[in-house]
Amino acid sequence: MRGRRGDRMTINIQEHMAINVCPGPIRPIRQISDYFPRRGPGPEGGGRDFREAPARLAPLALAPPAALLGATTPEEGAEVDSYDSDDTTALGMLEFDLLYDQASCTLHCSILRAKGLKPMDFNGLADPYVKLHLLPGACKANKLKTKTQRNTLNPVWNEDLTYSGITDDDITHKVLRISVCDEDKLSHNEFIGEIRVPLRRLKPSQKKHFNICLERQVPLASPSSMSAALRGISCYLKELEQAEQGPGLLEERGRILLSLSYSSRRRGLLVGIVRCAHLAAMDVNGYSDPYVKTYLRPDVDKKSKHKTCVKKKTLNPEFNEDFFYEMELSALATKTLEVTVWDYDIGKSNDFIGGVSLGPGARGEARKHWRDCLQQPDAALERWHTLTSELPPAAGALPSA
């Protein structure tokens, strides 16, 4: 199209869009996934391996994860247990160590750090903390908790939490539940994820290192907040769990460390109340005011009662008190030592926390402790025992003082 000099040339929109719009062949746009190494064949990568990455992308090679995150390698001699079900997990990963000390009957839990946690707050961050529970058992009695890290998705705790009174039987049958939650001051705390570790995977006196993805196993809501259908399902699951664990299972209320010794010189039984651990909280402040009572059954004259002093506002009291029962060894073989722990209350009746009975009618560790005491006179034997919500039938059928 040609025009006269001085006239303004007009171009319609079709001609304008046809000018310089085809610089050459169209090249495919590189996806962001092409800049990262592939762990293996997959549907997104078309079966490519990380060794097939373009040569010109070599300067973007990734450093090892530990170097990027500043993570420390586990100590020498520690067994490592790590798996990652999804490289882009939405819940995050938790790193921790477990050590079972058989000599001191303690379980040491070192909560190290977490990374890539799920955002729970409006600012895209979270206020995470970690809770520990031993299952099966009373949750409030054996709950341990770390401090809360504010406004982070990659918290570092480096805290050591210790369970006392852990026996070989606990290592065989119990499971450690590790939950990560988000603290919310204005409403209820929110569940992020959890990990369950069977304690039978631990070896005595050998630290085991874990770096595991959190799982979506949200606990059931309280019965008051559930519908009738959900309450029925909850009750069914609870009955099923109790059936799998065996008949006659009692609720755990904590642990107590007892010392037994029969004195040949004084001709009597010396009972030592050393300490308790992880007692159930009976007061509204989350604590108890515990004390211990002991009876030697049958107690016809009702003179075998002994009681320790009250320890205020604690779930891990130390008593270190001794009681003496004057009795021949032959007569002691037919007796049962009943030990109960109570919460002291002013102005109302005291609350029963838990108890245990040691004698010929007891079972497990309680019966073994009693038998060893009678077979080894003048030897002080200390053992941990589990406090239950009820006394065993052998002791419950006996008359009470």
Side-chain angles (χ1 to χ4, degrees):
M1 179 172 47
R2 186 182 299 273
R4 294 181 299 176
R5 178 176 296 181
D7 293 344
R8 187 174 182 180
M9 184 179 298
T10 58
I11 303 176
N12 56 29
I13 188 65
Q14 289 81 4
E15 295 178 349
H16 173 73
M17 294 300 295
I19 298 175
N20 295 330
V21 295
C22 187
I26 299 177
R27 298 179 181 179
I29 301 175
R30 188 176 299 280
Q31 298 181 358
I32 192 173
S33 58
D34 293 336
Y35 292 90
F36 296 90
R38 300 282 181 168
R39 294 185 179 273
E44 302 86 3
R48 291 196 315 173
D49 199 294
F50 68 94
R51 291 171 293 184
E52 301 178 12
R56 66 185 187 89
L57 299 179
L60 295 179
L62 294 179
L68 287 177
L69 298 177
T72 57
T73 57
E75 299 177 3
E76 294 184 0
E79 187 178 349
V80 179
D81 190 342
S82 175
Y83 68 85
D84 188 355
S85 59
D86 188 357
D87 294 336
T88 58
T89 176
L91 300 180
M93 299 185 66
L94 183 65
E95 187 175 354
F96 58 96
D97 293 333
L98 296 180
L99 173 63
Y100 170 52
D101 191 342
Q102 191 176 29
S104 59
C105 297
T106 55
L107 176 64
H108 300 279
C109 310
S110 300
I111 308 299
L112 303 179
R113 62 182 62 83
K115 57 183 178 180
L117 294 181
K118 178 183 177 181
M120 305 299 292
D121 299 336
F122 290 109
N123 58 1
L125 300 174
D127 302 321
Y129 66 92
V130 178
K131 292 191 304 181
L132 304 182
H133 293 97
L134 279 178
L135 304 177
C139 292
K140 292 184 179 180
N142 57 39
K143 183 182 74 173
L144 298 179
K145 179 182 173 183
T146 67
K147 297 179 181 179
T148 302
Q149 302 296 324
R150 301 290 178 185
N151 296 323
T152 179
L153 299 180
N154 301 282
V156 178
W157 288 285
N158 288 327
E159 292 190 36
D160 295 328
L161 306 177
T162 302
Y163 279 106
S164 300
I166 302 298
T167 62
D168 292 339
D169 184 67
D170 295 327
I171 295 296
T172 304
H173 299 96
K174 288 191 175 294
V175 175
L176 179 65
R177 180 192 181 202
I178 307 177
S179 307
V180 181
C181 301
D182 172 61
E183 182 178 289
D184 197 337
K185 295 183 178 180
L186 301 180
S187 63
H188 64 280
N189 298 338
E190 296 179 294
F191 176 85
I192 298 179
E194 72 171 26
I195 296 170
R196 300 198 180 195
V197 181
L199 296 185
R200 61 177 177 270
R201 298 174 60 181
L202 304 180
K203 299 179 181 179
S205 303
Q206 181 175 346
K207 180 182 293 186
K208 191 176 182 65
H209 184 77
F210 294 84
N211 190 12
I212 307 180
C213 291
L214 297 175
E215 299 177 356
R216 299 176 182 271
Q217 295 182 359
V218 182
L220 288 175
S222 60
S224 60
S225 63
M226 292 190 296
S227 63
L230 289 180
R231 279 197 297 270
I233 295 175
S234 176
C235 294
Y236 169 77
L237 293 177
K238 184 177 295 184
E239 294 177 358
L240 181 62
E241 181 181 3
Q242 292 177 355
E244 292 177 351
Q245 294 168 356
L249 183 67
L250 301 176
E251 180 185 359
E252 294 185 8
R253 295 293 186 85
R255 306 296 174 94
I256 186 169
L257 180 59
L258 300 176
S259 174
L260 297 182
S261 176
Y262 183 81
S263 176
S264 302
R265 181 179 60 85
R266 300 174 60 184
R267 294 185 179 275
L269 176 66
L270 183 64
V271 179
I273 309 297
V274 183
R275 55 177 296 205
C276 296
H278 315 300
L279 295 179
M282 308 302 292
D283 298 336
V284 294
N285 59 4
Y287 294 95
S288 295
D289 302 322
Y291 67 93
V292 181
K293 292 194 299 185
T294 64
Y295 293 91
L296 196 61
R297 308 290 194 183
D299 184 18
V300 180
D301 299 330
K302 297 183 179 181
K303 295 182 180 180
S304 67
K305 176 183 175 181
H306 290 286
K307 185 173 70 172
T308 68
C309 61
V310 178
K311 300 295 182 179
K312 293 290 185 178
K313 198 178 178 182
T314 178
L315 300 180
N316 300 278
E318 294 189 11
F319 298 100
N320 294 316
E321 298 188 32
D322 296 329
F323 304 132
F324 184 75
Y325 292 98
E326 185 176 356
M327 186 171 297
E328 294 293 336
L329 184 62
S330 58
L332 195 62
T334 60
K335 297 289 185 177
T336 297
L337 179 66
E338 179 183 310
V339 182
T340 55
V341 183
W342 298 78
D343 171 54
Y344 177 76
D345 290 323
I346 300 178
K348 60 179 181 179
S349 59
N350 299 329
D351 297 322
F352 173 72
I353 297 179
V356 62
S357 293
L358 293 83
R363 292 175 295 180
E365 188 65 26
R367 181 175 183 176
K368 184 175 183 300
H369 193 187
W370 185 259
R371 183 180 67 246
D372 293 345
C373 173
L374 300 183
Q375 294 177 353
Q376 304 175 34
D378 301 317
L381 304 176
E382 284 190 359
R383 304 281 174 82
W384 283 96
H385 298 278
T386 301
L387 299 172
T388 60
S389 56
E390 298 177 8
L391 290 175
L398 297 173
S400 59

